[in-house]
Amino acid sequence: MTAMRKLGRVGPEVFPIGLGCMGMSEFYGAHDDAQSIQLIHHAIDKGVNFIDTADIYGPHTNEELVGRALAGRRDKVVLATKFGIVRDPANSAARGANGRPEYVRASCDASLKRLGVDHIDLYYQHRVDPDTPIEDTVGAMAELVKAGKVRWIGLSEAGAATIERAHAVHPITALQTEYSLWTRDVDENGIMATCERLGIGFVPYSPLGRGFLTGAIRTPDDFDADDYRRTNPRFMGENFARNLKLVDAVRELAAAKGCSPAQLALAWVLARGDHLVPIPGTRRIANLEDNLGALNVVLTREDLSNIDAVFPVG
């Protein structure tokens, strides 16, 4: 029986690996809703009870997809969604942030409707709005908790000082931020330490480096034509070649350990502390099964130091 992990001091107990649903609707090339719903059902059957989406994914279509997948299974999952990133209809790449209280309330009602549920378990502010005091945003989120529309609240990509200010208004259950072997800035900038001190759960997104740490991507041509990674600096030119060498080192370490590169990368995240719950995303059941295999990988101190030698902080 896999031991559950608690998100924050007062938050829910969840399976140690969650499921990120973003790529089922956008950003990573072609998608198939029927296949994605089948995958979500399979994940739930395997015990995965932490499902993550956001209103921006699609936009909106991912929440609708997740809502369809959870019909009849709502009580089996801790459902997380997010608000706060605003997209320009005329330019899909343009992004803004809105944390105004009236926007918080309207966004929550819209997400509840799309998801087809009467409450959201974990509601995140997706990006901090620099023009709205965090106290105002979190105050509005706290009102949603009082109204029974939301059970717990979280932040995404927030700095240490912002987390402190938010937590003083209402307990923050979880912080969602990118974290993996090749994205370790939270270890240096005080964010991880702040979460540990305040008893806030940490939810790493892209724990597999947007798929790169799996070792399956060998050339930029492996991406679909409309895959946004083609325009991400990490996947271009000299950076791609340099990062591929790091991935090859992970493959060697994984081979020595008798596991897949993805399992090694996820096991490393899980070993950072019991308050971490990564949410790798996938559209394929085989990948999901491989990811869940990370729970059987035990990393020794020597293993961790060998990994740190390849992927040092910074």
Side-chain angles (χ1 to χ4, degrees):
M1 186 78 181
T2 300
M4 304 291 265
R5 292 190 168 193
K6 192 169 175 65
L7 275 182
R9 285 189 188 134
V10 297
E13 290 204 335
V14 295
F15 197 77
I17 297 176
L19 178 63
C21 298
M22 180 185 81
M24 297 176 188
S25 297
E26 200 178 7
F27 301 115
Y28 292 121
H31 51 270
D32 179 326
D33 284 0
Q35 181 185 20
S36 295
I37 289 172
Q38 186 182 10
L39 172 79
I40 292 171
H41 291 171
H42 185 81
I44 294 170
D45 290 343
K46 285 287 182 174
V48 177
N49 73 334
F50 189 33
I51 306 293
D52 183 272
T53 181
D55 61 4
I56 188 185
Y57 305 154
H60 308 320
T61 55
N62 194 245
E63 285 186 327
E64 293 166 353
L65 169 72
V66 169
R68 293 200 302 277
L70 295 186
R73 292 172 168 82
R74 174 67 182 96
D75 60 336
K76 289 183 165 62
V77 303
V78 173
L79 175 60
T81 192
K82 315 174 201 76
F83 75 92
I85 296 181
V86 182
R87 294 173 74 166
D88 181 351
N91 178 5
S92 63
R95 301 278 190 276
N98 191 337
R100 293 195 297 274
E102 62 273 19
Y103 184 81
V104 177
R105 291 188 287 268
S107 295
C108 179
D109 287 343
S111 286
L112 288 168
K113 189 174 180 182
R114 283 189 292 268
L115 289 161
V117 299
D118 62 4
H119 73 278
I120 294 160
D121 294 310
L122 177 57
Y123 199 40
Y124 294 99
Q125 181 184 18
H126 207 161
R127 291 293 184 273
V128 175
D129 176 2
D131 299 323
T132 303
I134 192 67
E135 291 82 359
D136 293 356
T137 304
V138 173
M141 295 170 77
E143 288 172 13
L144 297 174
V145 175
K146 279 184 192 157
K149 294 180 178 183
V150 168
R151 293 191 70 189
W152 298 283
I153 67 174
L155 302 175
S156 178
E157 296 283 359
T162 302
I163 297 167
E164 294 260 13
R165 287 169 55 195
H167 196 68
V169 176
H170 186 278
I172 300 299
T173 293
L175 176 78
Q176 183 175 134
T177 289
E178 184 171 359
Y179 187 59
S180 69
L181 280 172
W182 77 344
T183 305
R184 299 185 57 179
D185 42 334
V186 297
D187 288 331
E188 296 180 288
N189 60 18
I191 288 175
M192 186 70 83
T194 298
C195 288
E196 288 181 34
R197 180 167 49 81
L198 296 177
I200 296 171
F202 191 91
V203 178
Y205 74 78
S206 296
L208 297 175
R210 294 177 166 80
F212 203 49
L213 294 171
T214 65
I217 298 161
R218 307 305 298 171
T219 162
D221 291 333
D222 288 336
F223 300 130
D224 287 349
D226 58 348
D227 191 314
Y228 97 102
R229 287 173 292 186
R230 282 183 175 270
T231 59
N232 183 306
R234 287 184 174 183
F235 297 102
M236 298 167 74
E238 290 180 8
N239 291 343
F240 190 97
R242 195 180 303 121
N243 287 325
L244 202 56
K245 286 181 184 172
L246 294 173
V247 171
D248 286 340
V250 170
R251 286 169 67 139
E252 287 177 23
L253 291 168
K257 198 72 188 167
C259 65
S260 72
Q263 289 169 349
L264 185 87
L266 282 173
W268 178 86
V269 171
L270 292 166
R272 306 303 285 177
D274 288 341
H275 63 299
L276 277 79
V277 180
I279 50 167
T282 184
R283 297 188 300 254
R284 296 176 180 86
I285 287 177
N287 292 347
L288 174 76
E289 292 285 353
D290 187 56
N291 291 344
L292 296 181
L295 297 169
N296 301 318
V297 178
V298 178
L299 298 178
T300 65
R301 280 186 185 170
E302 184 184 4
D303 292 331
L304 292 169
S305 64
N306 288 339
I307 292 169
D308 273 342
V310 175
F311 276 99
V313 174

